[in-house]
Amino acid sequence: MDYLPIFFRIDQQPCLVVGGGHIAKRKVSLLLKAKAHVTVIAPTILPELQDLVLKQGGQIIEAPYQTSCLEGQRLVIAATDNDQLNQQVFADCEARHIPVNVVDAPDLCRFIFPSIIDRSPIVIAISSSGQSPVLARLLRTRLESMIPAAYGQLAAFVGKFRKQVQATLPDTSVRRAFWEKELQGRFAELVYNGRTDEAEKHLQQALLAKPTSAGEVYLVGAGPGDPDLLTFRALRLMQQADVVVYDRLVSQPILDLCRRDADMVYVGKARANHAVAQEDINDLLVRLAQEGKRVCRLKGGDPFIFGRGGEEIEELAEAGIPFQVVPGITAASGCSAYAGIPLTHRDYAQSVRFVTGHLKDGTPNLPWSELIHERQTLVLYMGLVGLEEISKQLIAHGMRPEMPVALVSHGTRPNQQVVIGEIHNIAEKVAESGIHAPTLTIIGEVVKLQDKLAWFGKD
Ligand code: SAH
């Protein structure tokens, strides 16, 4: 992060704008919106700018800039077309530790103006840290269309009841649950429709009902790694959970989308190094929910595909804790799509089989004869250990040694790598490639299509 995003309270505070043209006027308007006490200094100042400032009790000084006018200023904007003057204003402010912005000169800015979505009192500020203001503006347009115009009214209306609700519901998690329910339910709808009397009545009744915070668990599939592959529901629940319990396969960009003040609990498992035993994870989920927390159990891929999600909710069901399950894109779907390998294809594979290879006494424990089918794609959910042994066993049980194989490492992530080979030489190729877990193995004629259909990571 190159800049600290903050909201600056400048009502009635002295702010100086150096410059008297159209750009200065734009900045003055913004400062006046935030109720600043504005002084404009320049040898000539547009009459309409003068009107604007004077109407709001500000000050106009038709004179060249002098350092002395920085005295007592909270912030300063230079909007002149004189580079030397801009430099000087910047240097003067820096020497006095006054936040300064020189319009269109990022190097001469101690602070920058974000793109704004104004639904006062809700204000959203977007910045590209000066890298691409156009991108920030495009993003703003997208957000504008998503946020109801009456959001500001809702926020202002809620502000009136904040203290009362705080006094009635002193417990933070109870209060948060109460607001979340009301702000997404009937109360919000009534405010949007301008029926504020009814909205107030509804709120008072809801408060009388003495809400409690019942804990619950969301078992959420986070997909294979690319945050774009999350479902809307996954994102919504990630952003409302009090605690996020996650494991190794959940990528950092996905964790970054969780509620910022949520407790993040890592229960990751690396092979042969069980960070937290499954039973302890099950118990943890029950305990957190019983404490009244909303818990997001975030798992890589889909929670019901080799994810032991079933076991986790079994325990919740027994303890009578409410839960919901959100499917995710499983590694087979994500990796095959991003590697350009269709799992089924009319000409090559009519079925697909997902298996996970557990090692028992160093040898994989798989139903070998069921895996050998010419027109079936085989997807192995497992790391690299055992690949050589599995290849040998498959050949020993009748698989053609030339059967194409792909290994996808870090599928759907920016560091995705694909190694292509045949079942007789894949272990060797993988060893040469130096790729790392997580890896997914896809075996079948469909792998041949990769050459033509790969797209991810290509320009
Ligand atoms: N529930 C998960 C699978 C958990 S089993 C899902 O539905 O995807 C763990 C295995 O999944 C790993 O050993 C690896 O084989 C595979 N895997 C998960 N994410 C992957 C990724 N981004 N790239 C490659 N393989 C992945």
Side-chain angles (χ1 to χ4, degrees):
M1 199 149 71
D2 293 330
Y3 293 83
L4 175 72
I6 54 171
F7 286 83
F8 202 167
R9 204 170 112 200
I10 56 165
D11 62 325
Q12 305 311 320
Q13 298 301 300
C15 297
L16 180 75
V17 176
V18 184
H22 289 286
I23 295 174
K25 187 178 157 224
R26 254 200 348 252
K27 296 297 177 197
V28 166
S29 304
L30 197 59
L31 292 174
L32 290 175
K33 259 193 176 173
K35 305 182 194 69
H37 179 271
V38 176
T39 300
V40 177
I41 182 163
T44 49
I45 299 174
L46 287 176
E48 63 258 39
L49 174 52
Q50 299 198 20
D51 285 351
L52 188 68
V53 172
L54 294 173
K55 243 198 322 216
Q56 310 251 358
Q59 205 185 346
I60 293 290
I61 307 176
E62 279 203 287
Y65 163 82
Q66 303 144 27
T67 311
S68 60
C69 51
L70 294 180
E71 190 66 40
Q73 299 296 344
R74 283 283 193 188
L75 61 85
V76 172
I77 299 170
T80 83
D81 46 16
N82 177 338
D83 289 345
Q84 208 181 342
L85 178 57
N86 286 342
Q87 289 270 6
Q88 189 196 337
V89 176
F90 175 73
D92 289 349
C93 289
E94 284 286 279
R96 289 162 181 75
H97 303 287
I98 303 172
V100 58
N101 174 286
V102 176
V103 179
D104 283 338
D107 293 344
L108 303 182
C109 288
R110 182 51 60 191
F111 70 91
I112 54 179
F113 284 96
S115 240
I116 295 171
I117 299 167
D118 187 2
R119 300 278 196 282
S120 284
I122 299 277
V123 177
I124 301 172
I126 305 160
S127 155
S128 66
S129 304
Q131 303 294 319
S132 173
V134 175
L135 204 58
R137 257 202 321 274
L138 289 176
L139 192 59
R140 187 192 119 190
T141 316
R142 280 172 68 174
L143 290 173
E144 285 273 13
S145 62
M146 277 169 56
I147 301 167
Y151 235 61
Q153 273 153 283
L154 181 64
F157 195 66
V158 162
K160 289 199 221 162
F161 302 103
R162 228 182 124 206
K163 289 234 162 72
Q164 188 199 350
V165 173
Q166 215 163 7
T168 319
L169 308 174
D171 185 292
T172 329
S173 51
V174 173
R175 198 162 63 237
R176 190 187 289 142
F178 172 80
W179 276 127
E180 263 167 20
K181 178 161 171 258
E182 295 307 330
L183 291 175
Q184 295 178 77
R186 180 146 179 76
F187 170 74
E189 289 304 322
L190 288 168
V191 178
Y192 290 153
N193 294 319
R195 292 156 64 184
T196 44
D197 287 351
E198 285 170 72
E200 176 163 1
K201 219 181 280 164
H202 174 90
L203 196 77
Q204 299 300 356
Q205 271 167 4
L207 270 179
L208 281 179
K210 284 264 169 274
T212 53
S213 139
E216 57 182 324
V217 176
Y218 320 127
L219 180 61
V220 176
D226 182 347
D228 271 5
L229 296 179
L230 283 171
T231 59
F232 287 129
R233 177 120 81 101
L235 186 62
R236 185 160 54 76
L237 297 176
M238 282 158 62
Q239 292 189 342
Q240 78 181 37
D242 304 302
V243 186
V244 177
V245 178
Y246 66 100
D247 48 44
R248 199 168 50 96
L249 283 173
V250 182
S251 69
Q252 190 59 43
I254 287 178
L255 293 175
D256 290 344
L257 292 172
C258 292
R259 202 174 99 200
R260 198 187 294 236
D261 59 344
D263 284 337
M264 305 297 287
V265 182
Y266 176 68
V267 290
K269 282 179 280 181
R271 199 184 54 81
N273 169 20
H274 288 242
V276 180
Q278 187 64 48
E279 299 75 57
D280 294 338
I281 297 178
N282 301 352
D283 291 348
L284 177 72
L285 297 180
V286 170
R287 184 167 55 74
L288 289 169
Q290 280 171 343
E291 286 170 11
K293 306 253 170 58
R294 287 160 308 167
V295 185
C296 176
R297 172 65 176 119
L298 202 52
K299 298 178 84 81
D302 181 278
F304 280 1
I305 295 185
F306 308 130
R308 302 186 77 171
E311 294 168 46
E312 293 179 10
I313 54 172
E314 224 174 284
E315 202 123 330
L316 297 170
E318 278 161 21
I321 290 163
F323 60 84
Q324 45 178 308
V325 182
V326 184
I329 290 185
T330 189
S333 299
C335 295
S336 64
Y338 278 50
I341 304 170
L343 291 178
T344 66
H345 189 286
R346 280 208 331 186
D347 300 335
Y348 303 109
Q350 273 75 52
S351 67
V352 52
R353 186 167 185 138
F354 298 171
V355 286
T356 180
H358 285 301
L359 295 181
K360 225 182 193 177
D361 312 323
T363 44
N365 186 21
L366 286 167
W368 301 109
S369 49
E370 287 175 29
L371 305 184
I372 321 284
H373 280 282
E374 258 306 304
R375 296 166 79 81
Q376 168 177 271
T377 306
L378 201 55
V379 181
L380 303 178
Y381 281 71
M382 46 165 268
L384 294 169
V385 178
L387 180 63
E388 191 175 352
E389 183 58 28
I390 286 182
S391 309
K392 277 191 194 146
Q393 291 284 355
L394 286 172
I395 295 172
H397 285 82
M399 187 174 275
R400 282 188 297 115
E402 300 76 33
M403 182 62 91
V405 183
L407 249 93
V408 184
S409 148
H410 291 100
T412 80
R413 304 179 187 202
N415 55 342
Q416 170 175 301
Q417 269 181 286
V418 183
V419 178
I420 304 283
E422 294 174 345
I423 194 75
H424 67 93
N425 66 12
I426 189 69
E428 208 177 306
K429 289 204 161 181
V430 163
E432 281 165 15
S433 71
I435 59 169
H436 295 294
T439 54
L440 189 86
T441 309
I442 305 175
I443 306 173
E445 290 292 327
V446 285
V447 169
K448 282 187 186 156
L449 294 162
Q450 193 264 352
D451 201 27
K452 197 156 120 199
L453 303 183
W455 59 273
F456 181 60
K458 291 195 167 177
D459 288 330

